[in-house]
Every structure is written in C-alpha cells, then in structure tokens.
Amino acid sequence: MSLHKVAIRPEATSFLEVGRKKSRVTCKSDFHDMKFFNQVLCKERIHSGRYYWEITALTEPFPSNKLKKKHECPSSWYVGVTNETAGKKCRVPLTTWNGYWVLQYDQKRGFHVCDPTMTSVIVRDRFSKLGVFLDCERNTLSFYDCDKKAHLYTFYYVFSRPLIPVLSPGDKEKHTLRICQENCVNFSKLCQQSERHFSSVQSKLGRDLISVHDGQTSQTHNVKQQEHTTSSRRDR
C-alpha cells in the first residue's frame, strides 16, 4: 500500500518536543508567552493535489504500568495549514487574512475558526480523531469528526501556495497531538495506481468522509462565492 506520510519538522523548541518518528508533538511545560507561537510545521510543501491526514489529541506520556486510562483532549489546540509568508514566530491572529486556515479549540470558546472573523463550529460530541482534507483542485480545506464520519467545517478560497500543515498542542504540559501516519494519503498518487487498489485504500482511509466533502462543497459553494463577492465589494 502506497501511503503519503505527513511528518513534523524535527526542529524542537524549548517548550515543544517532537517524537522520534516525527508524528507526535508534546508541550514540555506550561507555555505563557503571548508574543510567540507554540506550534510546529510539517515537512510537506503542498502545491497541488488532494491530501488527507488524521490527528489524534492525547495526553501523554502513558502510565508506566500501562493501565487503561481515559485520555483527555488538550485544553487548547489548533490544526490546519498555513503558507510560507505567514508569521511563524511572532504571534498573529490565526485568521485566513494572516495565512492560517486552522480549526481551533479552547475550553472558553470551544471549537471555532477565524474565516476571517471568529465563527463557532458546532461539535455535538467529543471525538478522538480529527480528519483533515486539503483539496487543491477546489481550493478547499475541510475538517471531519472521524468517529462519526461527520463534516465539521470547510474553508473556501484557499488559494495560497505552497501550503504547509501546522499543528499546536496548546499551552499545557504533557498535552500532545499525534499525526496518524498510517492514515495519510495523497489521492493524486493513488489515482495513478490500479482502480482496484485505489478503491480499497480510499475505503479504508475516508471514502465516506470525502463523499461528504464533495456533496457539501457542491451545495454550499454558490453561497460562499456570493459572500466572498459581497465582502470584496465592501473592502473596496
């Protein structure tokens, strides 16, 4: 099976630790500096194609005796993509205007995006795995609750290139985000393989989620286009 791993850049910081397999980032201590980001970028610089990856939110490390323990979602985090021109060190609002297309969570405001103003994202139940689907052909970025195969939110007009996956485990010690590398796919490469192989891989890694994305995109694209046109006229 040909998969496309999304790997975190190995550069660690004084507050973040990157795992040996470049799939996990952990906050080493409480982070209180409001002038800088507490985030990591991935190695990928995406110019075209359709990419899908999954993120698991954990609290680590696991107990040494390996007893079963309920893991809590970090108290704040964000996941998505950014571009090369966006500020990477000095903190700026995580808006589309500033080059950040991310789903955010914190205990006070819940799930939300800044597209470009803050918009709440309705999530009925906590989920253990977040699906991220970047479609450069349609210039969209979508998020999914993988547990229920439910669509959460889609960014439209994601035109900046290249795009780089970005993630932050938040600001609390031991809080962790992990990329499920076994579930990362570059659909463009898979399309070049046999139809039978492609169908089996797509089914395992989110065929239902991508179908939701395609249907939801067709239904709402015209509405978003009208909103975008209205906003552009106001800016003039």
Side-chain angles (χ1 to χ4, degrees):
M1 183 181 294
S2 175
L3 300 180
H4 181 88
K5 292 185 178 180
V6 175
I8 299 170
R9 294 180 185 178
E11 300 88 356
T13 70
S14 57
F15 289 95
L16 293 177
E17 178 181 44
V18 177
R20 180 174 56 85
K21 295 182 179 180
K22 309 300 184 291
S23 63
R24 187 186 67 209
V25 58
T26 301
C27 194
K28 294 190 289 187
S29 60
D30 288 357
F31 185 79
H32 302 292
D33 194 336
M34 300 305 294
K35 294 183 179 180
F36 300 97
F37 281 125
N38 200 36
Q39 67 180 26
V40 291
L41 302 178
C42 293
K43 295 180 179 179
E44 286 65 31
R45 298 170 71 254
I46 301 172
H47 294 267
S48 61
R50 308 173 87 194
Y51 290 79
Y52 176 79
W53 62 96
E54 293 179 353
I55 303 290
T56 301
L58 307 172
T59 300
E60 292 200 358
F62 294 103
S64 57
N65 58 6
K66 297 185 178 180
L67 293 175
K68 292 183 178 180
K69 179 180 179 181
K70 183 177 180 180
H71 297 289
E72 296 180 357
C73 181
S75 57
S76 64
W77 52 261
Y78 58 85
V79 170
V81 298
T82 184
N83 59 30
E84 288 188 321
T85 60
K88 298 301 184 295
K89 294 183 178 180
C90 294
R91 188 187 294 261
V92 297
L94 296 171
T95 69
T96 55
W97 284 341
N98 289 327
Y100 281 89
W101 295 265
V102 294
L103 176 66
Q104 305 176 57
Y105 172 81
D106 64 58
Q107 291 180 328
K108 182 178 180 180
R109 290 174 290 186
F111 294 91
H112 61 281
V113 296
C114 293
D115 187 18
T117 58
M118 195 182 82
T119 303
S120 296
V121 176
I122 298 176
V123 177
R124 300 188 183 281
D125 299 298
R126 280 290 182 89
F127 49 83
S128 62
K129 197 174 289 185
L130 175 71
V132 186
F133 181 52
L134 175 63
D135 189 341
C136 294
E137 298 172 7
R138 295 185 176 180
N139 300 302
T140 59
L141 177 72
S142 300
F143 298 94
Y144 301 92
D145 171 353
C146 294
D147 296 340
K148 293 181 171 56
K149 298 181 180 179
H151 172 259
L152 298 176
Y153 190 82
T154 293
F155 285 98
Y156 295 85
Y157 306 102
V158 187
F159 288 109
S160 183
R161 299 290 186 276
L163 292 166
I164 306 168
V166 59
L167 56 158
S168 169
D171 54 9
K172 296 298 182 182
E173 183 181 4
K174 297 182 181 180
H175 281 176
T176 298
L177 290 181
R178 184 175 70 88
I179 301 173
C180 302
Q181 292 187 337
E182 66 274 15
N183 288 358
C184 299
V185 181
N186 180 343
F187 283 95
S188 300
K189 289 185 178 180
L190 288 177
C191 284
Q192 299 172 5
Q193 301 177 9
S194 68
E195 182 64 27
R196 178 182 60 81
H197 188 188
F198 172 71
S199 298
S200 64
V201 174
Q202 191 183 32
S203 175
K204 181 180 179 182
L205 299 177
R207 179 179 57 189
D208 294 338
L209 295 182
I210 305 310
S211 297
V212 170
H213 164 81
D214 290 341
Q216 193 268 348
T217 298
S218 299
Q219 293 174 7
T220 62
H221 177 73
N222 291 336
V223 174
K224 283 288 183 178
Q225 188 174 33
Q226 183 177 1
E227 292 176 353
H228 178 74
T229 302
T230 302
S231 176
S232 298
R233 288 175 179 173
R234 290 174 180 172
D235 292 341
R236 295 176 186 171

